[in-house]
Each structure stands twice: as structure tokens, then as C-alpha cells.
Amino acid sequence: MLDAAKSYKSFVENGGKMMVTLAGAMSTAELGVSLAEMIRQGKVHAISCTAANLEEDVFNLVAHNEYKLATNYRDLSPEAERDLRDAGFNRVTDTCIPETVVRHLERLLTELWIEAGEKGEQHSPVDYFRMLFDANALEPYYQIPVEDSWLKAAFDAKIPIYVPGYEDSTMGNIFAARVIEGKVKSHNVLKPGTAQMQELVEWYLANQKDHPIGFYQIGGGIAGDFAICAVPLIIQDLELDVSYWSYFCQISDSTTSFGSYSGAVPNEKITWNKLDVHTDKFMINSDASIVAPMMFAYVLGQ
């Protein structure tokens, strides 16, 4: 972990740009407290995240005081889980998110989806959240310092955010439901993942001319798998000459096993045209909710 943190710090201090990918429930684990400061200080230059991490950063921002903690979560019986459900809570490990905040965001986003359909517009999942911030629609409901929202920090810094697999989220499910009902005109109001991949490729091509680009992966899943494939796409499918990801670090508790991509050692990525032989590579098998903030503190000189 220390070697990876030293390499990250040196990488960005020497002009490198860093892509950070967020899987798991890192927003609910309040990674924003440290990640937002990393963004403000120019240590993060692009983000790829699951749709759950996108929405849960906002959930935490506007409903933090209404969350319920289940410190004995390992001992909960099926009946206790049912009681949480019936009380209107959705549990993420020891943190229970109130259903009320889901319905609050549903109302605000549905209005934007409907409006986009009427105008024949298409926007990415991130764009719709940006509209809420730009309109100050969320500000009256802040329950934590807005400085602790990594999403708001990313908007302020104008760094790109990519959200593949939007359907794998609460708001993505709700979006599909509203289209099925006919309230939202069509699925076309939401930019698909392939269009976001094009934007990521264009960002990579524009930035790699003058900067090495690194990859800091928290967890596994689509957030990392989607973003890291930009380089092999450029090399193999566009047949363009481009540099590989120039730094790689993954924090994961997955183990190396047959069929486990999340637990694959970094060197395997060389065969897929993602990393090079001389790329600084680190695999940290630990809890990302502990390791990532510690590494960020080191990079920030705290």
C-alpha cells in the first residue's frame, strides 16, 4: 500500500493524470470525505463509477441524518431484515438507506427525464445529476457539508465522469419503470454506455498526447472493466498508436481464481493490451474503505 501511494503521488506530481474507478458501496462508505479533496487538489482527473456510487453520493448528501446504522449487521436474522425493509430501509452492510430519499430523487429526476423526452434530448446519467446541482434543487436538503460530496467536487473541477451499466442501480430501475409506464417518452433520453465509451476514448486520446495516464481501481466490476478497456479499444479496434495505462493500482478483496476477473493479477492485463511490461503495477488485497482514504491522505501530504 505504501509503495502504491508513493508511486501515485510521484505520478501526479510529475504531470500524470489519474482515472479513478469506483465499485462497491464506496459512496455509502463516505469515500467522498477524502476523494472530494483529492479532486479539488488536482490528484484525480477522471472518474468511472457504478450507477449505485453515483446516486449514493447524493443520497448521503441530502439524507445522511435519516440513515440508520445496524452495527450488529452480521447477526441480523431474516426477520430483522424484513423489519428493516418494512420500516423503509435498504441495508448496505451496516448502513441502512431510507427509502424516502430514493423517492425524493425519483421525483426530481423523473421531471428531467420527461422534459428531455418532450424536447427530443439525450443526456448521460451524470448530466441529469449535474442539472440538479446547477439548478440548486438539492441545496435546501444538504445534511452534510457539500465539500464531502465527491460528485459536487467533480462537477466543480469539470472532470469527466463515466457511468456504465446505469440499469444496475435504483435510479436505473426507476427510469426503466417510467418508460414502461409511458411517463418518460423512450429509453433514448438516456445516453448508452457505448456513447460514454466513445467520450472516454476521445478524452484518453486528447490527454495522452501530453500526459501519462494512470488507473486507480477501487474494487472490481463494471466501473473498472469498462474504463480500462479504452486503451485496447484504441490499439486493437481503432488501430491507433497510443500509450498504455502508465500506472495501475487495484484495491480488492477478491482472490485469484478461475473465472475471477476482479482477482486477476495485474500482469494478466498485459496480454489484453491494457498495461505494459514496465507499468508500475500494484494489487492491494484489503478493504478499500480503509485503504483508499489512507492512500489519499498520503498523496495529499496529510
Side-chain angles (χ1 to χ4, degrees):
M1 181 181 72
L2 180 58
D3 287 344
K6 287 179 178 178
S7 183
Y8 188 132
K9 188 172 188 291
S10 175
F11 186 81
V12 294
E13 287 179 349
N14 286 287
K17 293 199 170 186
M18 192 68 73
M19 160 69 76
V20 171
T21 73
L22 303 177
M26 297 308 297
S27 289
T28 295
E30 299 189 270
L31 185 66
V33 173
S34 54
L35 178 57
E37 188 61 24
M38 287 281 285
I39 294 168
R40 281 189 290 270
Q41 294 199 25
K43 310 300 184 184
V44 174
H45 306 90
I47 290 175
S48 172
C49 70
T50 60
N53 272 303
L54 175 70
E55 65 190 14
E56 287 177 19
D57 182 77
V58 178
F59 292 169
N60 184 55
L61 177 63
V62 301
H64 177 83
N65 297 341
E66 298 154 40
Y67 279 34
K68 181 182 178 69
L69 287 179
T71 53
N72 62 330
Y73 66 92
R74 288 187 177 88
D75 301 322
L76 293 177
S77 65
E79 291 76 18
E81 302 278 18
R82 177 200 59 204
D83 292 345
L84 282 171
R85 179 200 67 193
D86 293 348
F89 287 97
N90 305 279
R91 185 171 71 83
V92 180
T93 316
D94 66 344
T95 305
C96 304
I97 302 172
E99 185 70 15
T100 50
V101 71
V102 173
R103 299 308 158 189
H104 181 190
L105 266 293
E106 173 190 8
R107 177 179 60 81
L108 296 174
L109 288 172
T110 300
E111 292 174 358
L112 296 177
W113 297 331
I114 292 172
E115 182 180 355
E118 292 172 346
K119 293 180 177 179
E121 296 176 349
Q122 184 182 72
H123 303 285
S124 74
V126 172
D127 289 334
Y128 287 109
F129 279 90
R130 183 183 287 107
M131 292 174 193
L132 295 180
F133 279 98
D134 288 346
N136 294 319
L138 302 173
E139 189 170 1
Y141 306 101
Y142 291 170
Q143 294 188 5
I144 63 170
V146 70
E147 292 78 16
D148 291 344
S149 164
W150 69 258
L151 185 59
K152 181 61 164 59
F155 288 156
D156 290 344
K158 295 181 171 56
I159 67 171
I161 305 170
Y162 308 98
V163 185
Y166 190 60
E167 60 275 13
D168 184 19
S169 70
T170 302
M171 290 300 133
N173 291 173
I174 290 171
F175 173 80
R178 298 295 83 83
V179 174
I180 292 168
E181 292 175 340
K183 290 183 179 179
V184 176
K185 190 171 183 179
S186 79
H187 293 283
N188 291 333
V189 306
L190 200 65
K191 186 176 291 184
T194 49
Q196 293 185 68
M197 176 61 85
Q198 178 180 342
E199 293 177 353
L200 170 54
V201 166
E202 291 169 349
W203 176 85
Y204 193 96
L205 286 171
N207 284 275
Q208 65 89 36
K209 296 175 182 177
D210 302 311
H211 308 273
I213 303 177
F215 199 91
Y216 186 82
Q217 181 174 348
I218 297 177
I222 193 171
D225 299 351
F226 166 87
I228 203 167
C229 285
V231 169
L233 185 160
I234 295 168
I235 294 172
Q236 295 176 288
D237 304 321
L238 291 175
E239 298 183 347
L240 297 176
D241 186 18
V242 71
S243 59
Y244 294 96
W245 295 102
S246 300
Y247 165 97
F248 177 82
C249 177
Q250 181 178 6
I251 309 169
S252 174
D253 57 7
S254 293
T255 56
T256 303
S257 63
F258 291 106
S260 171
Y261 180 77
S262 296
V265 296
N267 282 348
E268 183 177 302
K269 294 173 172 54
I270 295 173
T271 71
W272 291 90
N273 282 291
K274 298 169 182 176
L275 306 179
D276 200 1
V277 172
H278 303 295
T279 304
D280 268 357
K281 310 174 197 71
F282 304 93
M283 185 70 172
I284 303 171
N285 291 109
S286 189
D287 186 332
S289 66
I290 299 171
V291 170
M294 291 176 67
M295 289 186 67
F296 291 166
Y298 183 91
V299 173
L300 292 169
Q302 298 175 347

